[in-house]
Amino acid sequence: MVGAGGIGCELLKTLALSGFTDIHIIDLDTIEVSNLNRQFLFRQSHVGQSKAKVARDAVLKFRPNINITPYHANVKDSNFNVEFFKQFNVVLNGLDNLDARRHVNRLCLAAEVPLVESGTTGFLGQVTVHVKGKTECYECQPKPVPKSYPVCTITSTPSKFVHCIVWAKDLLFAKLFGDKNQDNDLNVRSKDDSSSKTDVFERSVDEDLSQYAQRIYDHVFGYNIETALANEETWKNRRKPCPIYVKDALPEDAVQLNGSSKDHKVEEHEPSAMVSLGLRNPQEIWSLADNSRVFLEALKLFFEKREKEIGNLIFDKDDQLAVEFVTAAANIRASSFGIPLHSLFEAKGVAGNIVHAVATTNAIIAGLIVIEAIKVLKGDYQNYRMTYCLEHPTRKMLLMPVEPFEPNESCYVCSETPLVLEVNTKTTKLREVIEKVIKSKLGMNLPLVMVGASLVFEDGEGLEPDEAANYALNLEKVLAELPAPVVNDTKLTVEDFQQELKCSINIKHRDEFDEEKEPDGMVLAGWSGPVDKQVTSNGNKRSVPSSSRADDVNSTAEDVPLKPGMKRKLNEILESHENSDTLQNKSDVGSSSAQLVEDDDDDLVMLDEDPKQGKKKRLQ
């Protein structure tokens, strides 16, 4: 088992009660208070402890004679390698992020161990079976990537509240409290000295904290908006924003008394601007004045109560003060741009990508996982099923079983099909390709990059100092200037020894890219890229949700007869394989059903494609 969260707790219990006697469970996380409403093996006294270890202890109380081995560790650690996975009969996933899922999928393929995938979001869920050579692997079909927005939209022309949240969370919060060396697109030049190289966000040693907070407020909500208004071309077809200064939002006496009301005693352990200001209802939409008070108070509390953390903070949806600051900042910016304000409860949902979990869905999915695991152990491939849990009945069913698909011939993971990367080889650095494509899109952790027989980059431990230094120099070189130049029609070989994954990338030079549609400045073809319909929820992502509704999945499971030439059943393929060493007359393997991307009540749900298309392509 990988994952001991919402699905994991139910799964471990069901496995134990179904007669499984030797179970290994890996989970990196510790127990949080927010887990207790659905992860029933945990109690208040367990907060802060290892999920894997506590889950083991809880199950052994009612099944003391079975063997459960817990690992409080990251499944991506080097000790969980292919050899480790080979010892198991089946691997069951209950993870909360795509990166770990892809990693486990690759290890299972390399170890030739069957994988049962799963996930839930709200009332929706699914279970899928992946067996090398018999069914598609987890990465044969597209998976969602976090929705991203052009920098110019976030910094200059927001039109939705989510744009304001991204600005407040990823730009302003990061600038004030995060890594000072990280790139940031906020204007740091002050109104008084725009030619100076001084960063307006830097606080001088003797500067009064209240004055500093007001100066930041006036800079980001006042001066920066005025600067943006100076470009009249931008606002020809857009509503102009209104600069907001502290003096406009708050009376002078209110600024002086901010957070010092004698009516509210501050006895909480965790600093909170809401408590300081006597704001109690997180579902109330604050006025501009209240948002301004919360912004100033939260900023001051960070410097007064959590100064040691400043410089290392990353936004966390469970950090009350961070959520208060981001909510207030997003609302003030929204007010400036004429965008409706939101409550803290709503803003937290957007910033933390939250879709609330349903414990019953986890229990249903855990039961389905065990059913598929038993089929795998019995070798009953004829009856493997991908099962979808729906919110509303379709054909009078809430559980919709679908026969698995054959492997996708164009999958770069299990079929080793070459990829194509369009990139400007004269301006793009090797570092950009590794970060944006090889690590981010292809999910490799410790990549090795070769151009022909020349090794241009290697990541990992055990490198000699001179080798590491040489690879570091290569990272900063543009592709065409590498020791083995990468130009049009060059073939890259990329490998990750930990995942035992190897693929080829054919380079196509391209001079220009659309900044809005192709913000990475490169386009990768042949991989399972982003899809249009997705709903993200409360995984630890630094991304924002798209606006698509997960409810669309309800229309995807209707049976439509296959036309001649469409994808064949897994059963037919396997029977053909048993009668002959080679598979003949393969039909189109690139199609897919509309499919939920699975997550352990903490992440995301999506549809791979237009449901009408999916209905026609699903196996009958």
Side-chain angles (χ1 to χ4, degrees), residues 52-68:
K53 293 178 180 178
V54 173
R56 170 192 180 272
D57 294 342
V59 170
L60 288 180
K61 288 180 180 178
F62 58 86
R63 276 293 182 271
N65 297 323
I66 68 174
N67 179 46
I68 302 176

Side-chain angles (χ1 to χ4, degrees), residues 260-303:
S260 61
S261 173
K262 296 179 181 180
D263 296 333
H264 307 290
K265 294 182 179 180
V266 182
E267 298 178 353
E268 82 289 349
H269 297 292
E270 183 181 347
S272 165
M274 284 183 67
V275 173
S276 297
L277 299 170
L279 298 170
R280 294 183 174 85
N281 184 3
Q283 298 194 40
E284 176 187 355
I285 297 178
W286 301 329
S287 65
L288 175 60
D290 283 337
N291 277 293
S292 300
R293 292 188 184 95
V294 171
F295 177 90
L296 297 171
E297 183 68 14
L299 195 154
K300 288 195 292 183
L301 285 173
F302 269 115
F303 280 90

Side-chain angles (χ1 to χ4, degrees), residues 461-471:
E461 300 176 357
L463 294 176
E464 295 295 329
D466 57 333
E467 288 180 319
N470 189 43
Y471 296 144

